[in-house]
Amino acid sequence: MERRPRRNRATAAIRNLSQETHVTASDLIFPLFLLEGNNNRTEVASMPGIHRLSIDLMLKEIEACLKLGIQGFDVFPVVEESYKDKMATKSYDKSFFYLKALETIKKEFPEAMIVTDVAMDPYSSDGHDGIVENGQILNDETLEVLGKMAVAQAETGIDMVGPSDMMDGRVGYLREVLDDAGFHNVGIMSYTAKYASAFYGPFRDALDSAPKFGDKKTYQMNPANRKEALIEAELDFIEGADVMMVKPALAYLDIISDLKANYDLPIAAYNVSGEYAMIKAAGLKGWLDADRARDEALMSIKRAGADMILTYFAKEYMESKIANSQF
Ligand code: PBG
């Protein structure tokens, strides 16, 4: 045999030197759940190890993550039912705790890359990402709300807005309103190929944001579709997205790889709440080694072509990497 691939697997040193893919701190974005108030911290039941945090505790968490080398954070608000209404008006109310907190975060940590969430669901009494009328999710009318929300977020000093709503035309619309308001430098991390997925369950527990009726299939993509992701990507590219995201990640590695092959923009992948929960749950039951499963999952997302990975594992991954001195 002239070719013996096992030679490159013979020792740890040879394996490390011939390793094709590395997941490092600069690949990671840590999603955070913000609570109103102070000194307030509650664990998400379906996401062991992940806590909703009030701003004071979130600042400490961000500081700890920055020390671990994590530079990106995606902040989501936990909104009390009494603040919710049909038009998600709190989403662009300047005195609302989410917008105040974003401002505080950027003041404390100007070096951190802060991404926001642009979608109506956390603030909507219907629990949908758009305006609901007679059981339908309105597209063009929703854009106006998203525009107000994005500008209000940009005013806090954040780096990128993350439209996660899947309304048609929202990237172009947001680019226009952000530019008109003077925010040429605020980027758009578009949820380009966001699928109607069961893997968002724990996130909706965390924010108490599940739809009050029906599902999100008229705006989020059909998990069966691969080519359609390229249509979404083409539109987002033309409309001015700075980063294109695939979500979820693990059941959609083919989509990540397609976008990477066809576009030169950075590609992000969202390793979503259910993907985190599955590994954690199996680990807690002793059914698999959760740390190894975590590392393998993140590696596979990077290997498929993701330049950035949004993951609830970000902090513990870096902690374990540093503890094991794997640089
Ligand atoms: C809201 C939003 C969702 C997630 C991110 N932004 C949930 C949804 O679309 O229902 C899911 C994130 C996760 O599951 O970790 N538009």
Side-chain angles (χ1 to χ4, degrees), residues 280-295:
K280 281 288 175 190
L284 286 169
K285 278 196 168 264
W287 288 353
L288 50 65
D289 178 338
D291 291 358
R292 287 187 51 212
R294 169 199 67 208
D295 293 357

Side-chain angles (χ1 to χ4, degrees), residues 189-315:
M189 180 182 290
S190 177
Y191 288 60
T192 296
K194 178 173 180 179
Y195 289 87
S197 171
F199 292 106
Y200 307 149
F203 174 96
R204 294 178 189 169
D205 290 344
L207 298 195
D208 192 20
S209 63
K212 300 282 162 59
F213 70 89
D215 52 41
K216 298 192 175 185
K217 290 181 185 166
T218 67
Y219 45 107
Q220 297 180 349
M221 288 175 59
N222 180 347
N225 295 355
R226 182 168 179 176
K227 288 186 173 173
E228 193 184 355
L230 292 173
I231 298 176
E232 288 287 359
E234 186 63 13
L235 290 170
D236 280 5
F237 183 82
I238 293 168
E239 292 176 31
D242 298 282
V243 178
M244 298 205 280
M245 189 200 293
V246 175
K247 175 182 181 185
L250 291 173
Y252 298 84
L253 296 177
D254 53 338
I255 314 299
I256 298 173
S257 139
D258 282 355
L259 259 56
K260 183 65 178 173
N262 287 285
Y263 291 91
D264 295 331
L265 285 174
I267 304 301
Y270 202 140
N271 176 216
V272 298
S273 57
E275 299 174 328
Y276 173 88
M278 278 195 303
I279 291 178
K280 281 288 175 190
L284 286 169
K285 278 196 168 264
W287 288 353
L288 50 65
D289 178 338
D291 291 358
R292 287 187 51 212
R294 169 199 67 208
D295 293 357
E296 193 174 322
L298 295 178
M299 186 71 79
S300 73
I301 297 168
K302 178 90 187 275
R303 191 191 64 228
D307 300 288
M308 319 178 186
I309 307 171
L310 295 98
T311 179
Y312 302 96
F313 286 120
K315 188 181 183 197

Side-chain angles (χ1 to χ4, degrees), residues 153-175:
Q153 292 170 354
E155 282 169 349
T156 68
I158 51 92
D159 302 87
M160 285 207 180
V161 293
S164 68
D165 57 288
M166 289 303 278
M167 296 301 121
D168 289 337
R170 92 277 206 212
V171 171
Y173 183 83
L174 292 181
R175 188 67 274 157

Side-chain angles (χ1 to χ4, degrees), residues 66 71-73 105-114 159:
L66 286 168
Q71 303 167 78
F73 303 90
I105 292 169
K106 275 310 288 187
K107 252 191 211 120
E108 289 273 329
F109 306 111
E111 72 276 31
M113 206 269 305
I114 305 297
D159 302 87

